[in-house]
Amino acid sequence: MERTELVEHLIALLLGVMPEYRQEAAGVAEEPAARRYLLRCLMNVWDPRFPLPEEYFSLEAKLLTAETEEKRPVDAASLAEAEPGIALWQGDITRLAADAIVVGAGAGLSTAAGFTYSGARFERYFHDFGQRFGIRDIYSGGFYPYPDRATFWGWWCRHIWVNRYAPLPSGLYARLLQLLEGREHAGHHQVPVLAHDGREQKRLLRLHQPRTAARARRHRRPRAIVCVRRRCGHLNGK
């Protein structure tokens, strides 16, 4: 499939789950740069609650990989330092030749992935607590003065299962891991996909260390570390 055909096919798949953008998309020029920009915009507004066909993600990966291979890499060690040992750079992280990537996205990205503490997700898992005690969100339910220990632990057993072991609400974090494939990386302790995958536990950065994990380890000083903090929850490798 040619590059232009690939871009158009991805646009069509995205518009298939977001028909509200079809009228605006129809007004975009036919030039390749304009169509690629339209694709990027649609990637950024896609809501994971509306699943895309599996074909989309393989084609997206094919496009992004081809584009990455055409880019000139940036050596992170060559960047001007804002402070000793710290350099600031804004751009496509896939261009950087660095030793590691730190994923700093936390609660905002979790919300975009469907890990909400109120609304439909609360009603799905905690509607009975809401009806009985007037609780309206998962967070405040953790502080509610329950009448007995059985009810208290009933809440917390479900809370732990829902937020740590239940199936992921969307594929957003799986896409994040795809972007990090083959690169050394570490994530904030709130990134649920890492908590769900036992193989990734060693990559969690815990600002509030659990009592069982209060150990310091020595590592060699890396040549460069890229810190990524995304407030937007829709990742497309840009």
Side-chain angles (χ1 to χ4, degrees), residues 77-238:
S78 68
L79 300 176
E81 293 186 343
E83 295 181 15
I86 298 177
L88 301 178
W89 185 79
Q90 183 177 2
D92 184 349
I93 64 172
T94 62
R95 291 182 58 202
L96 283 172
D99 290 335
I101 296 176
V102 177
V103 182
L109 188 60
S110 300
T111 300
F115 280 84
T116 53
Y117 268 33
S118 59
R121 188 164 179 260
F122 175 82
E123 292 299 325
R124 178 181 179 182
Y125 291 111
F126 297 97
H127 65 278
D128 51 343
F129 282 91
Q131 291 178 350
R132 182 177 175 185
F133 302 108
I135 301 169
R136 292 292 174 264
D137 63 84
I138 300 175
Y139 183 79
S140 60
F143 299 95
Y144 190 86
Y146 295 104
D148 52 67
R149 301 299 289 177
T151 308
F152 172 88
W153 284 113
W155 167 274
W156 277 105
C157 286
R158 194 183 307 178
H159 179 112
I160 293 169
W161 180 82
V162 166
N163 289 299
R164 188 172 179 86
Y165 300 107
L168 296 168
S170 77
L172 180 60
Y173 284 103
R175 296 183 66 198
L176 173 58
L177 282 182
Q178 287 178 352
L179 289 177
L180 299 173
E181 187 74 27
R183 299 180 175 91
E184 284 296 326
H185 62 276
H188 189 278
H189 72 289
Q190 290 183 355
V191 180
V193 70
L194 302 178
H196 277 67
D197 187 344
R199 297 170 300 170
E200 299 293 332
Q201 286 289 331
K202 63 181 182 300
R203 299 187 186 276
L204 290 179
L205 300 180
R206 303 180 187 274
L207 299 183
H208 305 285
Q209 286 281 357
R211 295 174 184 174
T212 58
R215 278 187 189 177
R217 296 180 180 175
R218 294 182 179 180
H219 295 279
R220 67 178 180 85
R221 183 177 179 181
R223 173 168 55 88
I225 292 180
V226 183
C227 185
V228 183
R229 184 171 182 83
R230 294 292 300 266
R231 298 192 68 175
C232 174
H234 311 300
L235 295 174
N236 54 41
K238 297 299 177 188

Side-chain angles (χ1 to χ4, degrees), residues 18-34:
M18 298 186 295
E20 64 273 19
Y21 292 106
R22 286 178 179 169
Q23 185 174 355
E24 293 180 68
V28 176
E30 295 299 323
E31 286 81 5

